[in-house]
Amino acid sequence: MNESYDVVIVGAGPAGISAACILADAGIKTMVIERGEYAGSKNTSGGVLYGYNLAQILPDFVARGCPIERNIVESRIWYLSKEAGLSIGYRDSIFANERKNNVFTVGRAKFDRWFAEQAKKKGALIVASTVVVDLLKDASGKVTGVVTNRQDGEVQAKVVLLADGVNSPLAAKTGFRPELKPEHVALAVKETIELPSEVIEQRFGVSAADGVTTEVLGEVTGGMDGVSIIYTNKNSISISVGANLAQFAKTKMKPYEMLEAYKLHPMVAPLIAGGKPIEYTAHWLAEGGFYTIPQLAGNGYLIAGDSAMLFNALHREGSNLAMASGKMAAEAIIAALKKNDVSKQSLSSYSKAMSESFVLKDMNKYRGFPGFLYNTHQLFDELPHVAQFAAREMLTVDGVTKKHKQKLIMDEVKKKIGLLNLAKIAWRGWRSVK
Amino acid sequence: MQIVCCVKQVPDTTQVKIDPATNTLVRAGVESICNPYDLVAVEAAVKITEKYGGSVSVITMGIPSAEVQLRECLSLGAHQAILVSDRALAGADTLATSYTLASAIQKLNEIDPVQIVMCGKQAIDGDTAQTGPGIATRLGFTQLTYVSQIIGLDIQKQTITVRREIENASQIIEAKLPVMLTVELELGAARYATLPGLIKAIKHEIKVWGAKELSCTAEKCGLKGSPTSVKTIFAPPPRKGGPVYDTTEGMDQAVNSLLDTLFQKEAAIMSEILSNDSKVKNA
Ligand SMILES: Cc1cc2nc3c(=O)[nH]c(=O)nc-3n(C[C@H](O)[C@H](O)[C@H](O)COP(=O)(O)OP(=O)(O)OC[C@H]3O[C@@H](n4cnc5c(N)ncnc54)[C@H](O)[C@@H]3O)c2cc1C
Ligand SMILES: Cc1cc2nc3c(=O)[nH]c(=O)nc-3n(C[C@H](O)[C@H](O)[C@H](O)COP(=O)(O)OP(=O)(O)OC[C@H]3O[C@@H](n4cnc5c(N)ncnc54)[C@H](O)[C@@H]3O)c2cc1C
């Protein structure tokens, strides 16, 4: 027996499920295949989601019981040396009121499961515990379906949407995406630390429904291009450190040791004190940026989300790019099926919509950023050190004139980095994001 | 011929802990699975129907989310699934559970004669191994517990031949249908569902029966029909390590005393097996 569907979606992450919701709403016979035991069982996002993008798919997501952990009212950025840190934060009551749920944390295992449930309610068929191992193609090379790891496991489809995430053996096998290079992914380890909700509220100064995100750069990644995050959930704190895979390979540093050291940092330790680690996960992030985005549509197929390397490292946006791309892919599919033409040319309306949207515009704007981080190790060793030196000098009241302190700081900058180098870094950094 | 498999939704006991303060199971956040013995029963039942014809019905008494486990059984080839779920049935002990399940099987029997009921040897959470025999008693079926192999059916003679495990030995028994079997894991692991099987299972409409549909007596169901009361639940003390043979006093002596212990134990086991064997032969 052979199954036949209008659309088969590989992967029940934010990209795949967004597409499934839009397709099912349009009455298109859609199957989503997910290798995990259920949608979300394989997912370990740090857990920030964006209400704007979710509302584009499900305007009534709150009423549908979206499992929101905390509504984010404050964003902090830290720049850390080994034993000190610089902190900036922005809190705004608008995020607790008019713009509530613009940014919120979720547990991805719970969220993805709920999201898939909504697609199912709309009529999409979600098949879990099943791995897509290959694509079916006709003589001309046009994709005509998928092959799964189950017996009698072929499914015919008019269109296949690849939404299978960053670690996609399928993409490598089909050649639709060039094989990933280690420098194009970051390896992140994450720990979820359980704490009573009142303790979290007290430590972060928030009310019961609200929370704080903290993005961290600096010496935590031991000179490697990487970031770390601290997110508040209802009864837990997510804390994660990641760095470029190629640099992990070169430095032979161990991710878990990095995380352990990070947890002892004087800025971090008090926030998680007394907490109980309840989950430990590791995952890749698609950090190659604009230059690694593959061709988004071909004959009979499209690629969305992380699988298409859509991740904005600077703003830690991935899930929203996944949702937006999934939606645009679904809209292109609907148009193509209407015309009864699923050729590359017809499906390319997806690439066009993407180019005109924030997704590719942002990716393009920051195209130099991954390279800048990757090539500027000073950001993760000398610079945080110098920042610490400067702040310590200025904040220590010891009768030394401020003028002399400034000179000491300049000497340190010259010694550690060099003024010209510092200017270059600033210039390149600015160029990479302007 | 209809075969009914009773399946139970259980917490994944590899994750369950006991709260030392309240002595109750901490089930929060623990995934539910299908009792592993019950999957083995479903597989065996499907194999029987593949060989001799008939159909397999799976039935569970539980909360609505037990639907997931029923679908898993359907994906393995069961033909229909019934969820027995009703507030009036909640809080059942093994007496009430087997009464309710027997009522449901009775109802199935009215539509298509039930020749075989299959249960797991035990549920990995409750572990009493009482539900199957309880059902058999109520239905008046022959019961064959601890079945490790189904040797065959004789449709003409209306019999089934199975191997069942007893302590240190096994028996081969032929019994007249209808029967109730409780099964061991040795019967054989469940298959990996085919894709069409899986899809069919996802789409299958599961029947939900409550106390009314079963026309069972309210006093015998749920909490009301459950005379069992739990006094305490506790985690057994961790096992002590085995004997230690100290080699600092000479290797030879350590090895000798190890061998002595082994031979003594082995001898005891052997003599038990021999006496059991003769009992079976004499029977
Ligand atoms: C530690 C960490 C923190 C992050 N934090 C954030 C954050 O705070 N905010 C944010 O927006 N983004 C964050 N991201 C990125 C975000 O998780 C991703 O961008 C997003 O999940 C991409 O969605 P997706 O649907 O494209 O892919 P995924 O969510 O990866 O989903 C792909 C799905 O496909 C399935 N699959 C893969 N291959 C197959 C196959 N062959 N057959 C069947 N199924 C298959 C997988 O099991 C998976 O469920 C973070 C990522 C990590 C690793
Ligand atoms: C002392 C004690 C007190 C209990 N008190 C309560 C209570 O107050 N409230 C409460 O909710 N529960 C209670 N339970 C749990 C419940 O009574 C049992 O789990 C249930 O009766 C089945 O018994 P068991 O788990 O020992 O299964 P076993 O008898 O070990 O199961 C053997 C086989 O019977 C079949 N089976 C068992 N249960 C079901 C089922 N529900 N549906 C379909 N097939 C089934 C399966 O094939 C299973 O493999 C109690 C259990 C015990 C042991």
Side-chain angles (χ1 to χ4, degrees):
Chain A
M1 191 169 99
N2 233 331
E3 300 286 333
S4 166
Y5 283 77
D6 290 331
V7 183
V8 166
I9 299 172
V10 188
I17 294 300
S18 297
C21 285
I22 305 281
L23 290 167
D25 269 341
I28 287 167
K29 197 177 167 199
T30 305
M31 177 197 276
V32 185
I33 302 178
E34 166 58 45
R35 71 176 162 194
E37 223 174 300
Y38 52 87
S41 65
K42 300 255 176 199
N43 281 342
T44 101
S45 160
V48 168
L49 277 196
Y50 303 90
Y52 173 80
N53 300 93
L54 184 54
Q56 304 273 309
I57 319 284
L58 297 171
D60 53 345
F61 69 88
V62 178
R64 283 169 177 264
C66 175
I68 293 171
E69 293 279 334
R70 283 179 189 272
N71 171 46
I72 299 305
V73 293
E74 179 180 334
S75 298
R76 295 180 185 163
I77 297 174
W78 286 357
Y79 196 43
L80 300 190
S81 66
K82 279 211 177 71
E83 64 263 35
L86 191 80
S87 166
I88 359 172
Y90 181 73
R91 179 182 291 218
D92 192 334
S93 60
I94 199 171
F95 294 118
N97 303 303
E98 296 97 305
R99 295 195 192 154
K100 194 172 170 191
N101 293 331
N102 181 260
V103 178
F104 53 87
T105 47
V106 295
R108 280 288 298 279
K110 259 195 238 159
F111 173 80
D112 287 20
R113 206 173 190 172
W114 166 84
F115 200 19
E117 197 56 43
Q118 309 312 307
K120 189 176 152 193
K121 280 187 189 153
K122 289 173 181 284
L125 182 77
I126 317 275
V127 177
S129 300
T130 304
V131 187
V132 173
V133 291
D134 207 353
L135 298 180
L136 292 171
K137 290 180 192 168
D138 67 11
S140 73
K142 178 174 161 256
V143 173
T144 58
V146 299
V147 185
T148 68
N149 64 334
R150 289 185 182 270
Q151 197 192 318
D152 304 329
E154 292 186 359
V155 187
Q156 309 283 339
K158 290 180 189 149
V159 184
V160 173
L161 174 62
L162 297 168
D164 52 342
V166 58
N167 185 0
S168 168
L170 198 59
K173 188 164 178 180
T174 54
F176 290 162
R177 189 179 83 191
E179 195 140 5
L180 278 182
K181 296 206 179 72
E183 54 267 35
H184 294 154
V185 291
L187 172 66
V189 286
K190 189 182 108 192
E191 202 167 286
T192 307
I193 297 168
E194 192 175 57
L195 279 167
S197 52
E198 315 83 65
V199 173
I200 295 175
E201 282 138 30
Q202 191 203 349
R203 286 184 189 172
F204 288 85
V206 289
S207 71
D210 297 337
V212 174
T213 62
T214 309
E215 250 64 49
V216 185
L217 279 178
E219 269 190 299
V220 280
T221 48
M224 294 188 288
D225 159 15
V227 286
S228 148
I229 54 104
I230 302 171
Y231 295 158
T232 51
N233 308 316
K234 189 123 229 101
N235 297 304
S236 63
I237 292 177
S238 297
I239 160 164
S240 158
V241 188
N244 189 280
L245 191 59
Q247 295 183 338
F248 264 126
K250 208 157 49 192
T251 59
K252 304 265 186 290
M253 273 200 245
K254 306 208 169 53
Y256 58 89
E257 284 176 3
M258 217 159 79
L259 183 61
E260 286 312 310
Y262 179 49
K263 281 162 62 185
L264 297 175
H265 191 281
M267 303 261 297
V268 181
L271 295 178
I272 56 171
K276 190 175 110 204
I278 49 169
E279 188 185 80
Y280 189 87
T281 47
H283 206 273
W284 280 2
L285 282 109
E287 287 212 322
F290 188 72
Y291 295 117
T292 55
I293 297 173
Q295 178 189 308
L296 292 173
N299 284 323
Y301 77 90
L302 308 91
I303 309 183
D306 270 11
S307 184
M309 300 297 283
L310 301 173
F311 185 75
N312 181 341
L314 183 59
H315 292 270
R316 53 106 166 92
E317 293 179 12
S319 58
N320 60 332
L321 303 186
M323 286 182 191
S325 63
K327 176 170 182 275
M328 283 184 261
E331 284 159 356
I333 293 171
I334 293 168
L337 289 177
K338 236 181 224 147
K339 286 190 290 183
N340 211 359
D341 174 8
V342 295
S343 67
K344 175 177 168 186
Q345 210 198 349
S346 167
L347 291 173
S348 289
S349 66
Y350 167 51
S351 321
K352 187 152 172 285
M354 287 277 280
S355 310
E356 286 162 6
S357 77
F358 79 98
V359 177
L360 286 191
K361 283 195 174 142
D362 282 358
M363 291 293 296
N364 189 11
K365 175 167 153 64
Y366 298 133
R367 64 185 182 278
F369 188 62
F372 166 68
L373 289 184
Y374 184 75
N375 292 317
T376 317
H377 67 88
Q378 293 95 331
L379 287 171
F380 308 98
D381 43 34
E382 282 98 342
L383 259 175
H385 175 83
V386 168
Q388 172 193 313
F389 184 87
R392 269 191 188 164
E393 278 306 319
M394 284 320 226
L395 293 173
T396 307
V397 179
D398 53 6
V400 178
T401 65
K402 296 290 181 260
K403 186 157 182 205
H404 184 64
K405 286 193 176 215
Q406 277 173 2
K407 183 178 172 313
L408 287 176
I409 293 168
M410 283 323 267
D411 286 349
E412 185 72 10
V413 172
K414 282 183 203 154
K415 193 169 95 204
K416 283 280 186 298
I417 308 179
L419 280 179
L420 186 63
N421 262 336
L422 187 63
K424 270 194 202 154
I425 291 171
W427 170 247
R428 275 198 251 112
W430 164 248
R431 287 269 310 212
S432 76
V433 298
K434 93 170 171 26
Chain B
M1 176 178 67
Q2 183 175 199
I3 305 177
V4 177
C5 293
C6 299
V7 304
K8 187 183 181 193
Q9 181 192 51
V10 293
D12 190 344
T13 49
T14 52
Q15 300 175 27
V16 174
K17 296 195 175 58
I18 292 178
D19 183 333
T22 60
N23 268 337
T24 51
L25 297 185
V26 185
R27 294 192 182 198
V30 177
E31 288 296 323
S32 290
I33 57 169
C34 190
N35 187 35
Y37 292 93
D38 305 354
L39 286 177
V40 166
V42 172
E43 173 67 31
V46 170
K47 281 212 182 95
I48 293 175
T49 57
E50 282 168 355
K51 199 159 168 193
Y52 302 99
S55 72
V56 177
S57 306
V58 286
I59 159 172
T60 190
M61 179 169 91
I63 52 177
S65 73
E67 174 200 320
V68 175
Q69 282 69 40
L70 288 177
R71 292 199 193 280
E72 185 177 2
C73 297
L74 287 164
S75 79
L76 301 176
H79 301 86
Q80 69 163 337
I82 289 119
L83 172 66
V84 177
S85 194
D86 192 329
R87 288 210 163 272
L89 303 174
D93 66 3
T94 53
L95 193 70
T97 302
S98 54
Y99 169 73
T100 313
L101 289 174
S103 310
I105 295 167
Q106 209 91 61
K107 188 173 155 91
L108 286 169
N109 186 55
E110 283 160 21
I111 306 159
D112 178 16
V114 175
Q115 300 288 35
I116 304 174
V117 171
M118 290 175 91
C119 288
K121 175 177 87 170
Q122 70 202 69
I124 59 170
D125 57 345
D127 275 325
T128 66
Q130 292 173 1
T131 308
I135 293 170
T137 309
R138 291 172 198 285
L139 295 174
F141 283 20
T142 303
Q143 53 173 298
L144 302 171
T145 48
Y146 309 113
V147 170
S148 60
Q149 189 192 359
I150 291 169
I151 294 169
L153 271 74
D154 189 326
I155 298 295
Q156 217 92 62
K157 281 188 354 204
Q158 286 286 293
T159 59
I160 185 169
T161 308
V162 303
R163 175 191 296 273
R164 68 181 292 261
E165 298 306 313
I166 54 173
E167 219 167 321
N168 293 326
S170 60
Q171 300 175 325
I172 291 175
I173 295 188
E174 185 182 55
K176 202 121 194 96
L177 299 175
V179 292
M180 190 290 306
L181 316 178
T182 75
V183 306
E184 298 269 8
L185 294 179
E186 288 82 357
L187 203 53
R191 66 193 67 187
Y192 192 56
T194 66
L195 187 63
L198 185 61
I199 292 170
K200 214 172 86 196
I202 296 170
K203 291 182 173 168
H204 190 95
E205 206 165 311
I206 289 175
K207 293 195 188 89
V208 183
W209 289 351
K212 216 170 64 219
E213 283 84 356
L214 297 181
S215 51
C216 46
T217 319
E219 288 70 43
K220 293 187 178 176
C221 295
L223 206 51
K224 266 196 205 156
S226 300
T228 315
S229 72
V230 181
K231 242 176 153 177
T232 70
I233 299 181
F234 59 92
R239 263 188 225 198
K240 295 200 191 81
V244 176
Y245 302 94
D246 193 352
T247 55
T248 53
E249 287 171 18
M251 182 62 88
D252 282 354
Q253 203 188 328
V255 171
N256 279 336
S257 47
L258 166 66
L259 289 177
D260 281 349
T261 324
L262 281 177
F263 280 126
Q264 268 165 25
K265 215 176 182 176
E266 198 68 12
I269 292 171
M270 280 310 290
S271 70
E272 203 179 317
I273 291 176
L274 290 175
S275 76
N276 263 335
D277 260 7
S278 60
K279 270 187 229 153
V280 172
K281 273 193 202 111
N282 296 341

